[in-house]
Amino acid sequence: MQINFDNIELEVGTNILEIEVPEELEKTYSTGMDFIDDAFGGTGMTPSTACLFTGTPGAGKTTLMMQLANAITRSGNVALFNTAEESLYQVRKVARRLQLKHGFVCGSERLVDTVIDNAKKVQEKNPNKQLFLICDSLQTLDDGKYANGTVNSMTQVRCLEKLCQFAKDTYAIVIVIGQVNKNGELAGKQVLKHMIDAHCHIYVDPDRRSETYGERIFEVQKNRFGCSGIEYVLDMSARGFKEKILN
């Protein structure tokens, strides 16, 4: 008798140490941002990772992801930053303000299938580079289920499922920005958190008694490829984010 789980066929009684891990999953790729590499285990992110990145309004989600995309390009890999939140003109203006030197591949598609098709084309053009796909944001994507463009709470689930499957099928690294409500909770079905490999969150510390009051805090709430519960204090300026070292 065989067990089939995540495309792994096992004989009943197989010892975990006998499983051969695909070579791609033994690798990690640096994002070019030290604190993010550290957050994901020290050396970067594992191919096939699907990560949800949330944050409170105004915390700097898009800014941080644009910096990340620029750092990925600088590191020698390739980043596709797809935004349906803002026009590409707005993104270009922010890139100039942040003084990004390396840039990233850009897109502005809403249909998730088109986003994935474009990502595959970028992969084909860069066969020796790790692809990072960054989507801003999940709430703006549509899977095209309804011809009249209707979306509902399940649209996000279907879109994220397709993005996760793309990551697993191609060993791409996918980061999807998600919105939160006024209480800081994920805006959407909670099943979204269970679908992804990692969940990161950024917020402004609201506790007046805290030594980091008013600072941006980046935290890893879930990470299937490493540890979670790690927090980083960030400085934010017109040039973007950098890690703040506390005394």
Side-chain angles (χ1 to χ4, degrees):
M1 180 179 177
Q2 291 184 328
I3 301 172
N4 191 315
F5 180 74
D6 283 349
N7 298 320
I8 301 174
E9 291 189 356
L10 299 178
E11 294 289 342
V12 173
T14 299
N15 188 299
I16 187 64
L17 299 180
E18 297 174 8
I19 295 177
E20 293 291 332
V21 178
E23 182 180 350
E24 285 299 327
L25 295 183
E26 296 283 14
K27 301 176 182 178
T28 57
Y29 287 88
S30 173
T31 65
M33 295 186 76
D34 291 343
F35 77 90
I36 291 183
D37 286 351
D38 186 70
F40 281 89
T43 57
M45 299 181 72
T46 301
S48 83
T49 295
C51 175
L52 182 65
F53 176 51
T54 58
T56 53
K61 298 183 294 296
T62 299
T63 296
L64 181 55
M65 288 299 101
M66 287 179 61
Q67 277 188 269
L68 178 63
N70 179 75
I72 289 165
T73 304
R74 184 180 67 237
S75 73
N77 292 303
V78 59
L80 168 57
F81 184 90
N82 186 88
T83 177
E85 285 279 350
E86 301 175 346
S87 76
L88 293 180
Y89 292 129
Q90 291 172 306
V91 173
R92 177 65 184 90
K93 288 185 69 174
V94 175
R96 182 179 288 117
R97 173 175 61 80
L98 295 174
Q99 299 183 34
L100 303 183
K101 302 298 184 184
H102 303 275
F104 43 80
V105 181
C106 60
S108 58
E109 304 294 341
R110 289 185 178 274
L111 286 175
V112 68
D113 287 339
T114 305
V115 174
I116 291 171
D117 286 344
N118 288 346
K120 289 179 178 178
K121 291 175 182 177
V122 173
Q123 276 185 316
E124 290 171 1
K125 290 181 178 180
N126 299 274
N128 298 318
K129 297 181 179 181
Q130 174 63 41
L131 173 69
F132 291 75
L133 169 61
I134 302 173
C135 295
D136 185 12
S137 66
L138 179 60
Q139 281 72 16
T140 63
L141 293 177
D142 185 7
D143 67 332
K145 181 177 177 65
Y146 303 106
N148 64 357
T150 298
V151 297
N152 54 37
S153 60
M154 288 304 297
T155 304
Q156 296 176 32
V157 175
R158 292 191 298 269
C159 287
L160 187 58
E161 184 176 40
K162 288 191 173 190
L163 290 168
C164 289
Q165 193 59 55
F166 166 67
K168 304 311 173 194
D169 289 343
T170 67
Y171 296 116
I173 294 170
V174 175
I175 303 172
V176 185
I177 299 176
Q179 307 299 327
V180 298
N181 58 32
K182 62 182 180 181
N183 295 321
E185 295 295 324
L186 178 67
K189 292 186 174 294
Q190 292 303 300
V191 68
L192 297 170
K193 292 184 179 181
H194 300 288
M195 295 169 63
I196 45 84
D197 301 303
H199 178 201
C200 299
H201 184 72
I202 188 171
Y203 66 97
V204 180
D205 187 352
D207 187 354
R208 292 181 179 275
R209 298 167 299 178
S210 170
E211 66 175 320
T212 58
Y213 170 66
E215 302 278 10
R216 264 78 173 179
I217 308 296
F218 176 87
E219 63 177 344
V220 181
Q221 297 185 348
K222 174 183 178 180
N223 185 6
R224 286 178 177 157
F225 293 106
C227 58
S228 60
I230 305 173
E231 293 187 341
Y232 302 84
V233 181
L234 305 181
D235 265 333
M236 185 179 186
S237 67
R239 294 284 303 277
F241 289 101
K242 66 178 180 178
E243 186 180 1
K244 182 175 184 176
I245 306 300
L246 299 179
N247 294 326

